[in-house]
Amino acid sequence: MSTLKAVRGTRDLLPPETALWNRIEAIAREVFARYNFGEIRTPIFEDTSLFARGVGEETDIVSKEMFTWEDRSRAQSEKNQSLTLRPENTAGVVRAYIEHKLGESGQLQKLFYIGPQFRRERPQKGRYRQFSQIGAEVIGPPHAGSESPLRDAEVLEMLATLLDELGITGWTLEINSVGSSADRERYNQTLREALVPVVGQMCEDCQRRAVTNPLRVLDCKVPEDQPIIDALPKIVDSLDEDSKTHFAAVLAALDAAEVPYTRNHRLVRGLDYYTRTTFEFTHGGLGAQNALLGGGRYDGLSEAIGGPKAPGIGFAMGEDRLVLTLLAQQQAEPVKNDAYIAPLGDAKDQAALARMNAAALALARELRRAGLSVELGDGSFRLKKSFEAADKVARRIVILGEDELASGILTVKDFASGAQTKVPRAELAAILARPAGA
Ligand code: ATP
Ligand code: MG
């Protein structure tokens, strides 16, 4: 029989790496709480049309990356429905905002999410078909202040803090403004004209984009095209006064908070309802998939999926890429347990063996309840085997034999210092809680 494997582009996360995932999520939750964000959990599948309208038919995500299926009705009264595994979470959050009339509170909604997303991409390092995003959205009616450039700057400052607290060093914030949809239309026209004399020397994709959506030319990765693209007019010169003022205010607030950034004139989002601020945090250690996160303003998104005017700004961070970055950065030593308890029994005496194992479980319970992490050996192990097993998983070994049980004085060996000491049971938890070697 052929063995079954995880589906292409999906993977199992195993210990000890899962500890790192949990640490990342715990830090993210803690930072979000300090910025007054609350958690939202939306379903992992939605009506396909949500993504068609909320992400955009023209995007790579919707045009070729979605896992979509026709869900058969179970009753005459039901219709078949086209469903899709969520490829991103912003559309779901905005749908929920509309469905639960969250805007009617008159308050800004500050929501974060952590969870799996699905895209049918070519799997490679940092790119999977099931991956996890940590993201947040600030959304609300205009009178709640949702259009303020302060919101953009606060989200960016929060991201800088989060990456710092996660221990990610050497990130770069790239930022741009794509203006209003009118600004973009103007810019597209400017680009179209500027491309006429040069497009003949560019790649085939660019020749097509120059006609259909000139803005997309800025995304081109073909090396020969880069000098041509760098010489094209910049979107910043097509922004109207309001968009210029907004962008200047975002940058001024970042300067005041001392969040470093780099202007990237080519960072654009091709969709109609993406507006003004767009950004990416990148990291050199990731190779080709160098984006840790992306985000921006989407002042027209709620209306695009049938909701009220609800300007917003948000981001989505690739958790898989955070893990890759941290693993490459720290070569982390696996965290060891505080203690390994080695019961010592007479392997030929079943009753004695059972007694020592039972005593070891009782001792482990005592120590674990005191907050220590403890691994438990087995009375049938020889002393040498116990020491080898303990050294792999714990900082100290506690020997529990008939004598120790009777006297209440236990033998503890510290692997870091090599020191072996006798410890009264009442003091054991306190000794084991000390750092290794102390
Ligand atoms: P990329 O240019 O890397 O394809 P994207 O523009 O498609 O990114 P977004 O839709 O903005 O990415 O998603 C935000 C973040 O989610 C990305 O910056 C990345 O860290 C992560 N991400 C996106 N797609 C994947 C994937 N297939 N596997 C792992 N992480 C991903
Ligand atoms: Mg992508």
Side-chain angles (χ1 to χ4, degrees), residues 107-166:
Q107 300 283 311
L108 266 190
Q109 301 296 310
K110 299 170 89 174
L111 303 165
F112 79 88
Y113 59 82
I114 300 177
Q117 317 293 335
F118 306 85
R119 296 184 194 176
R120 189 187 281 106
E121 304 202 65
R122 194 170 67 77
Q124 52 199 290
K125 188 182 171 210
R127 196 177 288 290
Y128 312 99
R129 291 183 168 183
Q130 174 174 339
F131 59 101
S132 177
Q133 285 184 335
I134 300 176
E137 317 290 348
V138 181
I139 181 171
H143 68 259
S146 56
E147 283 171 309
S148 167
L150 176 59
R151 308 282 56 123
D152 309 39
E154 188 187 23
V155 163
L156 290 163
E157 187 278 318
M158 174 172 78
L159 280 166
T161 298
L162 176 54
L163 291 178
D164 287 347
E165 293 193 10
L166 286 170

Side-chain angles (χ1 to χ4, degrees), residues 83-215:
L83 301 177
T84 293
L85 289 180
R86 63 183 187 197
E88 57 94 56
N89 219 151
T90 302
V93 170
V94 177
R95 181 207 37 77
Y97 172 92
I98 298 166
E99 188 168 334
H100 302 286
K101 301 187 170 52
L102 299 183
E104 288 182 8
S105 70
Q107 300 283 311
L108 266 190
Q109 301 296 310
K110 299 170 89 174
L111 303 165
F112 79 88
Y113 59 82
I114 300 177
Q117 317 293 335
F118 306 85
R119 296 184 194 176
R120 189 187 281 106
E121 304 202 65
R122 194 170 67 77
Q124 52 199 290
K125 188 182 171 210
R127 196 177 288 290
Y128 312 99
R129 291 183 168 183
Q130 174 174 339
F131 59 101
S132 177
Q133 285 184 335
I134 300 176
E137 317 290 348
V138 181
I139 181 171
H143 68 259
S146 56
E147 283 171 309
S148 167
L150 176 59
R151 308 282 56 123
D152 309 39
E154 188 187 23
V155 163
L156 290 163
E157 187 278 318
M158 174 172 78
L159 280 166
T161 298
L162 176 54
L163 291 178
D164 287 347
E165 293 193 10
L166 286 170
I168 297 206
T169 51
W171 50 261
T172 304
L173 161 57
E174 298 185 21
I175 188 168
N176 194 21
S177 174
V178 296
S180 64
S181 58
D183 295 341
R184 255 192 330 278
E185 221 164 277
R186 213 169 23 248
Y187 180 57
N188 252 327
Q189 196 47 42
T190 309
L191 263 189
R192 199 168 270 136
E193 285 157 22
L195 281 165
V196 173
V198 291
V199 75
Q201 308 152 43
M202 301 181 78
C203 72
E204 253 175 58
D205 278 339
C206 281
Q207 308 211 2
R208 183 174 43 78
R209 293 172 185 137
V211 183
T212 56
N213 188 357
L215 208 64

